[in-house]
Each structure stands twice: as C-alpha cells, then as structure tokens.
Amino acid sequence: MIGIFENSPIHNIPFTKKISKNCHPFIKWAGGKSRLITQIKYFLPNHFNNYFEPFVGSGALFFYLINVGKVNKNSSIQLSDINVELINAYRVIKCSLTELINQLKQNEKEYLNDPQHFYYKLRNENIEFNSIKKAARFITLNKTCYNGLYRVNKKGLFNVPFGRYNNPKICDIENLTKVNKILNSINTDIENYDYQNIITKVKEDDFIYIDPPYHPLNKTSNFTNYTVFGFDTNQQKRLANFFNELDKRKCKIILSNSDTIFIRDLYSQFKENIIPLKALRSINSNSEKRKNHDELIIKNF
C-alpha cells in the first residue's frame, strides 16, 4: 500500500465557502462538504438514475446537484441518516415551514435578550413531544453552539458548549424557503435509519454518495459522536462490505473518508479510483489546524 501513498497526486483545487447562489445547507455539520464541492464535482458521474445520500448530514452535495441541474426531474432522491434530530429537521422544513420559521423567530428574539442564559436553557429543555419545537431547537443550537458542532454524550444528550457569536443568523427565512421548495418539488424521501436499509431500494446506475464519520487520523482526532452509537473500526469494515455489495449491483458510488492506511487497505480493490484531496476542516479550536487535512474520495467507476 506504500506505493499508493507515494504515487497518488493531491488535488489542490481552490476551496469555496458557498456551493451556489441558489441554495445551501441550513446547518453547519462536522465533516460537511461545502468546502470540498469544488473538488468533488470533478469526479461525479455524468449520468445517473436515482440519488441516495445515506449519511446526509448538511446535504451539501445534494444541494449542489440540485443547483447545477444534475438530478433528472424524473429521478427519486433519498436522504437518510441515523441521527433522529437531523432527520426531524429536514422533515419539518419540508412539511411545516411556516410553523418552524415562527418558532425560530421566537428563539432568535429570546437569544438576543440574553444569549448564554437562553442557550443553556434551550440545550437542557425536553421537547421530544413537539417535532416543530424540536427542529427549531436543533437549528438554533447549531447556529449558536461552539463551532456548529453536533455532539452527544453516552446518554444521547447534546452537550456542546455555548459558542459566543455576536449576531448569529438563527432564522434564515430565504434559504429555509428554498430548501422547502426543493424538498417539495422533486420526489424526495427523507428517512431516519441505518445506511444499510437503502440496499433494498438501489438499482443499477443509481448514484450513492457515502460520507460516514471518518476514521481518525490519530487518537486525538477520534470524533464520531454524532449519535450515541459511535462509528468505530468495526463499523468502517461493515461499511466497506456495504460498498462492495453496492458495487456488485452496478451502482455508481463515491465514498469520502480520511486518508489513512487502514481506509486504503479496506478499499484496496478500488485503488485505481482512490483520489487524495486536501481539505479545510471547520471544527478545531486552533484555526491553523483546520487547514490542509488529507482526505480521500473512493469511486467504483
């Protein structure tokens, strides 16, 4: 595997903070691909039938595909994730936008009166019974917590500290309205389940983008707590087997992960389509450490 490291070019295509003037992710997400779209777009399939994103996160690639018209109007889209709060937010934006905006406006007003007090009050609030308040809480915390990080403890409780922003845009009506229109103008299915559940739905020439929690580059970078379940090396092996099954079904697949020997070994049969990228990471307390991280995209076509 050493030869792959030595001979693989690094693609230094310029970063961008915006993916389109049309629509962009409504949340910030650890590992989100907004800054990598300018690199990933060169490796996308020219044509595909349906689109699946089973670790949807912020949905940066999904929004890009919509904005540039790469999704056929007759295609089906499935966005899914195991994170309950995330999927609830997508569903509420799609089905209850007006109520969500009203709640976000209220949250924004209360936040501006006393930011830190309101943040911790909202973080500790139990609103499981109300999907709209739950979605508004999720978005508000995302806009005001430290670095936009989503992290839970072993009990599944959100535990990120206050972010100390001067004037965060909690209620972005313009973009939320665009997201709502996109989710309602195409055949979009939003599901809360494990990524392997899509296996009964995919067909030949469907495109699947897989963006799982990354394998850690070192012990101190081991962040996988997007859900209480985590994502360890056994989960990475399970995912590689899933990739192989999709390949057998003649789907078109792109997977993102960190550039480690472990990941390269897992996908060694696709070594001709293992492409290194330089990434700018959003989440690190030291801004200098957010630059020039080695990542991979792995394709089967």
Side-chain angles (χ1 to χ4, degrees):
M1 301 307 295
I2 295 176
I4 295 178
F5 278 94
E6 291 176 345
N7 298 326
S8 297
I10 298 293
H11 294 264
N12 289 313
I13 303 166
F15 298 116
T16 181
K17 290 187 177 181
K18 285 188 176 181
I19 62 172
S20 170
K21 66 181 180 179
N22 298 317
C23 189
H24 57 84
F26 61 90
I27 53 166
K28 185 176 181 180
W29 202 250
K33 292 300 177 288
S34 292
R35 288 186 174 94
L36 273 176
I37 291 295
T38 49
Q39 301 180 70
I40 294 174
K41 68 180 183 180
Y42 293 103
F43 308 104
L44 298 174
N46 292 325
H47 305 284
F48 56 88
N49 292 329
N50 302 313
Y51 178 67
F52 294 79
E53 195 166 336
F55 294 87
V56 64
S58 69
L61 184 59
F62 162 68
F63 291 120
Y64 172 79
L65 293 173
I66 295 295
N67 289 337
V68 299
K70 287 189 73 71
V71 177
N72 187 300
K73 65 180 180 180
N74 297 319
S75 297
S76 294
I77 310 294
Q78 184 174 107
L79 308 177
S80 57
D81 203 286
I82 200 171
N83 189 303
V84 177
E85 296 261 11
L86 175 68
I87 293 302
N88 178 68
Y90 274 97
R91 287 173 172 168
V92 169
I93 291 172
K94 181 178 181 179
C95 301
S96 305
L97 180 65
T98 301
E99 295 88 344
L100 174 64
I101 287 174
N102 288 338
Q103 185 62 53
L104 285 171
K105 284 181 178 179
Q106 182 178 326
N107 286 0
E108 196 167 59
K109 182 178 179 180
E110 291 187 49
Y111 176 89
L112 292 175
N113 287 335
D114 191 346
Q116 190 165 349
H117 172 76
F118 176 73
Y119 175 83
Y120 284 109
K121 175 187 174 185
L122 185 65
R123 196 185 78 167
N124 296 328
E125 191 174 358
N126 184 357
I127 48 179
E128 289 294 321
F129 62 92
N130 188 314
S131 61
I132 294 167
K133 285 189 175 182
K134 186 177 178 181
R137 174 182 180 270
F138 173 80
I139 293 171
T140 302
L141 292 176
N142 181 265
K143 300 292 186 181
T144 58
C145 71
Y146 177 74
N147 248 342
L149 176 65
Y150 186 91
R151 182 189 66 200
V152 297
N153 60 23
K154 291 181 179 180
K155 294 181 179 180
L157 301 175
F158 184 78
N159 66 350
V160 181
F162 178 60
R164 300 185 184 279
Y165 298 102
N166 290 327
N167 190 25
K169 194 170 187 178
I170 293 172
C171 186
D172 187 346
I173 297 176
E174 181 180 355
N175 190 59
L176 288 171
T177 301
K178 291 176 181 178
V179 174
N180 168 269
K181 288 181 178 179
I182 285 174
L183 295 177
N184 284 289
S185 64
I186 55 177
N187 184 15
T188 306
D189 189 22
I190 303 169
E191 297 290 349
N192 173 220
Y193 52 40
D194 182 83
Y195 64 88
Q196 287 198 323
N197 285 10
I198 72 169
I199 203 68
T200 61
K201 301 181 180 182
V202 296
K203 299 177 182 178
E204 182 175 347
D205 285 333
D206 285 349
F207 174 34
I208 300 96
Y209 176 55
I210 302 174
D211 187 26
Y214 280 15
H215 180 249
L217 294 169
N218 51 59
K219 291 181 179 179
T220 60
S221 66
N222 188 13
F223 171 71
T224 59
N225 295 328
Y226 303 106
T227 72
V228 71
F229 304 106
F231 208 89
D232 58 16
T233 55
N234 288 328
Q235 289 285 354
Q236 295 287 356
K237 292 176 183 177
R238 176 176 177 248
L239 180 60
N241 291 333
F242 179 69
F243 188 103
N244 292 335
E245 179 60 30
L246 292 175
D247 179 63
K248 291 176 184 177
R249 298 186 182 213
K250 298 182 180 180
C251 299
K252 296 173 181 178
I253 322 158
I254 291 180
L255 179 140
S256 296
N257 216 313
S258 52
D259 192 350
T260 66
I261 294 175
F262 174 74
I263 293 299
R264 286 178 177 265
D265 283 343
L266 277 183
Y267 297 93
S268 59
Q269 71 186 85
F270 303 98
K271 63 182 179 181
E272 299 301 322
N273 283 309
I274 293 179
I275 303 159
L277 302 176
K278 284 292 184 183
L280 181 64
R281 297 214 176 139
S282 300
I283 295 176
N284 196 300
S285 57
N286 184 340
S287 61
E288 291 302 311
K289 293 183 180 180
R290 298 177 193 172
K291 301 176 182 178
N292 297 327
H293 288 265
D294 295 330
E295 296 191 9
L296 300 173
I297 60 172
I298 301 163
K299 310 194 306 172
N300 72 329
F301 59 93

